[in-house]
Amino acid sequence: MKKTLLSAAVGAAILGAASAASAGTLQDVKAKGFVTCGVSQGIPGFSNPDDKGEWSGIDVDYCRGIAAAVFGDAKKAKFVALSSKDRFPALQSGEVDVLTRNTTWTISRDTSLGFNFRTVNYYDGQGFIVKKSLNVKSALELSGAAVCVQQGTTTELNLADYFKANNLQYNPVVFEKEADATSAYDAGRCDVYTTDQSGLYAIRLKMKAPDENVVLPEVISKEPLGPAVRQGDDQWFDVVSWVHYAMVNAEELGITSKNVDEMKAKGGPDIKRMLGSEEGTKIGTDLGLTNDWAYNIVKLVGNYGEVFERTVGPNTPLKIQRGLNALWNKGGLQYAPPIR
Amino acid sequence: MAGNALSSEKSGTKSVSSLIYDPQARGIFYQILTVAIIGLLVWIFTNNTIHNLQKANIASGFDFLKGRAGFDIGQSLIAYTSDATYGRALLVGFLNTLQVAILGIITASIIGFAIGIARLSSNWLIAKIAQVYVEIFRNIPPLLVIFFWYKGVISILPQARSSIALPFGSYLNNRGFFFPKFIWGDNAWLLLAALAVAISASVFIVRWARARQMATGQQFRSGWTSFALIIALPLLTFFVLGSPLTFEFPVAGKFNLTGGSVLGPEFISLYLALSFYTAAFIAEIVRGGIRAVSKGQTEAANALGLRPSVTTRLIIVPQALRIIIPPLTSQYLNLTKNSSLAVAVGFSDLVGVGNTVLNQSGQAIEIVAIWLTVYLSLSLTTALVMNWFNAKMALVER
């Protein structure tokens, strides 16, 4: 999932890119009439096109939330499918306004690549998937296993560290492309495939017999996935960040896409303040948007919980529990600063 | 630039227009222009790269090779752990490339010669089978041949728990070919010594037999004698010493067979694909080489009463080799270069390991430079050896 700084660095070096971010991405977006988001080439639950070319997924809904906040219309979002190699140059060069593409927030991406990260719309971590028939219950039982892994990723390094730290033997089988690695696992070349856990759930869906594979409980790395924007454009950075915070706050306050109109009229002061129905509020305009920006997000896209349930939650084919992505007051890590 | 061309002309008194029509002056002018443009391009690219590297804060140089690699490699001919350096990781990749290239060249030559001769067979079926083989493998891109073998190996062979047992304690499954590992005992070096003695004795016998035939016309079966010597002497030593070698046999483990030595399916598929693919071209070269030997040579040999096998061995093949060797060299080079397609099936060759190092260290330009240098040196070495062989086989005029 996360090729190290190579791609961007090489891209920048060869193309001589590293173009300066234009002064106001928000103004540019408003002027062209839609927001352009970089997404994956197809990861179920995160950003995946259906047979009609309609995108869906948690990252896609983040982008629609931005469109709802800026234009009051969630459909004013365009998606550019990017490989893990192309994603950073695409953001650096201004081809996309924001990268909502399950990208791990790391210090080198935050600094040397010239991006800004702030919100995490999915807390992920590297995990293992194995065949059920092996009767393996924990990654610590994997000594001697053959492990398929994608080349040049942080995954490859985490894997080596984990097995070394636990004094386990393994035989790595390294592929350049994820599709090759997963099909080799599916064909029985490896006992184990490893990548981000969310990716494991998504890949399991594509296997010959999804139910015969099980994701092990161990998470061996931190992979906070969130949107990235170019450095040097604080206003746009704020807009992108607060879209996520509005969704999380809405869930915390119990505002859903179904009851948002009722809440706007009859809710408590904190709800009215967030939805822009408070007298003389300036929160939305200070952000460079209209005062009903948060209302539009919740009305047109939903709160964070709704998006999660719809895209990756237990009732979707991916069947992912909230876990780390539950709200902070429910034992998870999703925490948003107050809107006031 | 035009001034340079003009001043380099001796005939300064000539008018400019006559210089324009002077082919020699024009030639010099265009050559200087070409060199200048190439120089300018090189300068622009170098300068631009350095500028961009500095801008992106990327350190250049080869110091990163001493850094800790941090990743593991599946198949390695030398000791390697994730604590080793990037440099050692690249060395592992290089040796893997070398291994598959050398084994591939040997196998491709054997198959290629066999198929090439089979194409000339008077037996209709054999000739046609050889032709079909050549046409199939020659007309499919090597990458697809590799995929074909890889998918074939991992999907047709059984899973690890139902391995096919082969003689001598080896096994075959979709994790590779498992065979017993030699464990060298105390006196095991004597085996190698015996082999060396046998080989030198064979060389001596062959020379002596040739000299005797030249002098007296008597023949000696030096081929069979050498063969027997090379097999028997080490075998004899083995038993006299009371088997100094022990074997570690692969046994069923939790996930797979453990112990022994293993050739992974990545290596096997790449090796088979390269061998079979290149063999198709070699077969055509061999067929062409044999065809190019004039028919009169065969007829003359027949007229002298030589048997067909002797005719082939002593008359046809030595003459055909002179034609075969130069194009054969380029096939060997192709095989070595095609081995970089290993990356498609996950074999840890130089390119595969280099990709990982490149991604982890960010030293793109250095890695690419290493790749280029290594493949260039491999190719030049192969060409050098083959040129030497060619010169040795060439017609010696007396």
Side-chain angles (χ1 to χ4, degrees):
Chain A
M1 294 293 102
K2 44 254 111 81
K3 297 237 177 190
T4 0
L5 54 150
L6 148 86
S7 357
V10 174
I14 291 168
L15 300 174
S19 75
S22 62
T25 310
L26 181 59
Q27 281 70 36
D28 294 348
V29 167
K30 281 180 175 169
K32 68 181 175 179
F34 57 87
V35 57
T36 315
C37 300
V39 292
S40 77
Q41 290 163 310
I43 299 179
F46 286 80
S47 42
N48 200 26
D50 64 14
D51 48 9
K52 295 185 195 76
E54 276 294 305
W55 288 84
S56 64
I58 197 167
D59 288 336
V60 167
D61 281 351
Y62 197 122
C63 182
R64 295 215 167 102
I66 299 171
V70 176
F71 300 108
D73 181 354
K75 292 197 180 73
K76 290 192 171 167
K78 286 204 175 166
F79 302 99
V80 178
L82 298 169
S83 70
S84 55
K85 201 178 81 204
D86 299 334
R87 57 184 166 175
F88 298 131
L91 181 60
Q92 281 168 331
S93 66
E95 188 189 346
V96 296
D97 301 314
V98 53
L99 192 65
T100 53
R101 187 203 179 281
N102 52 333
T103 297
T104 306
W105 176 8
T106 67
I107 189 169
S108 58
R109 289 171 181 176
D110 217 343
T111 55
S112 69
L113 291 193
F115 298 146
N116 271 342
F117 290 83
R118 187 192 278 156
T119 56
V120 175
N121 69 333
Y122 190 93
Y123 286 96
D124 210 341
Q126 184 177 338
F128 300 101
I129 192 168
V130 297
K131 293 261 179 340
K132 256 185 193 162
S133 58
L134 288 174
N135 266 327
V136 173
K137 296 277 177 278
S138 155
L140 295 171
E141 299 168 27
L142 290 177
S143 194
V147 183
C148 281
V149 62
Q150 201 188 349
Q151 191 174 67
T153 53
T154 48
T155 314
E156 202 183 348
L157 300 183
N158 295 334
L159 174 72
D161 287 352
Y162 181 80
F163 275 77
K164 188 177 163 63
N166 290 295
N167 222 353
L168 306 171
Q169 301 295 315
Y170 74 110
N171 175 28
V173 186
V174 185
F175 291 87
E176 191 186 17
K177 292 191 189 129
E178 176 163 65
D180 290 340
T182 53
S183 75
Y185 164 78
D186 209 16
R189 169 64 186 98
C190 302
D191 304 298
V192 189
Y193 176 69
T194 180
T195 187
D196 291 353
Q197 272 206 333
S198 61
L200 294 178
Y201 284 106
I203 286 154
R204 189 170 64 164
L205 295 179
K206 295 181 179 171
M207 287 182 179
K208 278 183 275 185
D211 291 338
E212 283 170 23
N213 299 281
V214 57
V215 176
L216 296 178
E218 278 86 357
V219 174
I220 64 167
S221 71
K222 291 183 290 186
E223 310 286 345
L225 308 181
V229 297
R230 289 180 290 276
Q231 273 177 13
D233 188 351
D234 291 353
Q235 189 186 33
W236 180 241
F237 186 33
D238 286 341
V239 169
V240 169
S241 303
W242 281 95
V243 167
H244 177 68
Y245 292 145
M247 288 168 137
V248 173
N249 274 319
E251 187 187 3
E252 200 180 325
L253 294 169
I255 312 171
T256 67
S257 53
K258 296 195 179 61
N259 69 9
V260 64
D261 288 311
E262 190 188 334
M263 290 291 228
K264 190 176 182 183
K266 298 179 200 157
D270 45 354
I271 293 174
K272 282 190 162 173
R273 191 185 315 122
M274 177 174 156
L275 296 177
S277 53
E278 194 184 60
E279 281 301 311
T281 182
K282 279 175 60 197
I283 289 173
T285 47
D286 284 350
L287 198 56
L289 306 170
T290 54
N291 279 326
D292 57 356
W293 65 283
Y295 167 82
N296 286 333
I297 296 171
V298 181
K299 174 78 183 168
L300 300 170
V301 181
N303 68 31
Y304 181 74
E306 285 180 281
V307 169
F308 192 97
E309 297 298 322
R310 182 169 67 221
T311 53
V312 295
N315 296 323
T316 63
L318 267 77
K319 297 186 178 61
I320 301 179
Q321 301 294 328
R322 283 295 286 269
L324 286 178
N325 292 294
L327 291 181
W328 62 283
N329 53 12
K330 293 191 180 137
L333 292 174
Q334 287 296 350
Y335 181 101
I339 295 181
R340 70 162 53 245
Chain B
M1 244 156 274
N4 288 348
L6 293 180
S7 60
S8 67
E9 274 296 292
K10 285 175 199 161
S11 48
T13 50
K14 274 188 183 173
S15 71
V16 176
S17 65
S18 72
L19 267 180
I20 288 172
Y21 293 109
D22 180 351
Q24 202 191 352
R26 262 197 314 203
I28 291 172
F29 169 73
Y30 283 123
Q31 290 189 25
I32 290 176
L33 192 68
T34 311
V35 169
I37 289 174
I38 292 173
L40 189 69
L41 284 177
V42 168
W43 182 79
I44 288 174
F45 284 132
T46 319
N47 212 29
N48 193 42
T49 310
I50 292 171
H51 174 76
N52 283 325
L53 284 179
Q54 280 170 348
K55 206 167 162 185
N57 263 334
I58 298 173
S60 48
F62 288 91
D63 285 345
F64 75 97
L65 288 175
K66 297 192 192 99
R68 179 180 180 269
F71 58 91
D72 288 295
I73 299 177
Q75 189 157 357
S76 170
L77 292 173
I78 53 173
Y80 174 85
T81 67
S82 59
D83 285 331
T85 60
Y86 282 134
R88 194 166 177 91
L90 287 170
L91 182 65
V92 169
F94 169 69
L95 291 175
N96 282 342
T97 294
L98 214 57
Q99 182 193 19
V100 82
I102 291 174
L103 289 176
I105 283 175
I106 294 170
T107 316
S109 309
I110 295 170
I111 303 174
F113 271 84
I115 299 282
I117 290 167
R119 279 209 70 176
L120 295 170
S121 167
S122 50
N123 183 318
W124 184 85
L125 190 62
I126 289 178
K128 282 297 159 194
I129 288 175
Q131 187 183 358
V132 168
Y133 171 91
V134 167
E135 292 306 334
I136 287 179
F137 279 95
R138 201 168 57 153
N139 292 307
I140 298 177
L143 185 62
L144 296 186
V145 180
I146 293 174
F147 274 134
F148 169 80
W149 281 104
Y150 189 60
K151 302 286 175 196
V153 166
I154 65 172
S155 53
I156 293 171
L157 289 176
Q159 298 286 330
R161 287 183 183 183
S162 44
S163 312
I164 304 171
L166 298 172
F168 307 113
S170 5
Y171 292 91
L172 193 63
N173 63 31
N174 70 354
R175 303 289 171 76
F177 175 61
F178 297 76
F179 55 95
K181 187 154 89 181
F182 298 116
I183 303 202
W184 295 93
D186 288 337
N187 294 320
W189 63 273
L190 282 170
L191 287 180
L192 289 180
L195 189 66
V197 169
I199 291 173
S200 12
S202 308
V203 171
F204 177 76
I205 288 172
V206 169
R207 287 201 176 161
W208 166 80
R210 198 175 290 158
R212 193 182 71 157
Q213 192 182 348
M214 285 288 191
T216 66
Q218 279 180 299
Q219 289 191 343
F220 184 76
R221 291 199 171 267
S222 52
W224 289 109
T225 321
S226 313
F227 184 70
L229 202 60
I230 287 171
I231 295 288
L233 200 57
L235 214 61
L236 198 68
T237 323
F238 182 81
F239 286 116
V240 167
L241 290 175
S243 67
L245 280 182
T246 46
F247 300 96
E248 182 191 302
F249 289 96
V251 288
K254 182 176 175 194
F255 293 102
N256 195 0
L257 298 159
T258 54
S261 300
V262 59
L263 289 174
E266 292 79 25
F267 173 81
I268 296 175
S269 55
L270 181 70
Y271 159 66
L272 290 179
L274 290 178
S275 306
F276 279 74
Y277 176 77
T278 313
F281 291 88
I282 293 179
E284 284 301 272
I285 292 169
V286 168
R287 184 176 71 106
I290 292 174
R291 270 283 161 81
V293 177
S294 122
K295 204 173 178 219
Q297 296 284 324
T298 320
E299 288 168 348
N302 287 345
L304 287 173
L306 291 180
R307 277 173 287 125
S309 65
V310 178
T311 312
T312 308
R313 197 156 51 84
L314 296 181
I315 311 288
I316 310 295
V317 170
Q319 298 189 71
L321 268 183
R322 290 178 194 136
I323 303 160
I324 291 170
I325 290 168
L328 198 60
T329 310
S330 77
Q331 288 309 322
Y332 288 173
L333 298 183
N334 277 344
L335 190 145
T336 311
K337 288 182 284 181
N338 283 340
S339 73
S340 62
L341 294 171
V343 84
V345 290
F347 179 64
S348 302
D349 76 328
L350 182 70
V351 176
V353 174
N355 263 334
T356 301
V357 174
L358 191 158
N359 264 303
Q360 309 296 9
S361 68
Q363 305 285 344
I365 293 172
E366 289 81 356
I367 297 289
V368 173
I370 290 173
W371 281 338
L372 298 182
T373 316
V374 168
Y375 280 102
L376 191 65
S377 330
L378 276 182
S379 295
L380 290 179
T381 313
T382 314
L384 218 65
V385 171
M386 291 302 285
N387 285 346
W388 166 82
F389 187 51
N390 191 31
K392 206 170 146 54
M393 294 307 291
L395 200 61
V396 184
E397 293 187 16
R398 280 183 267 224

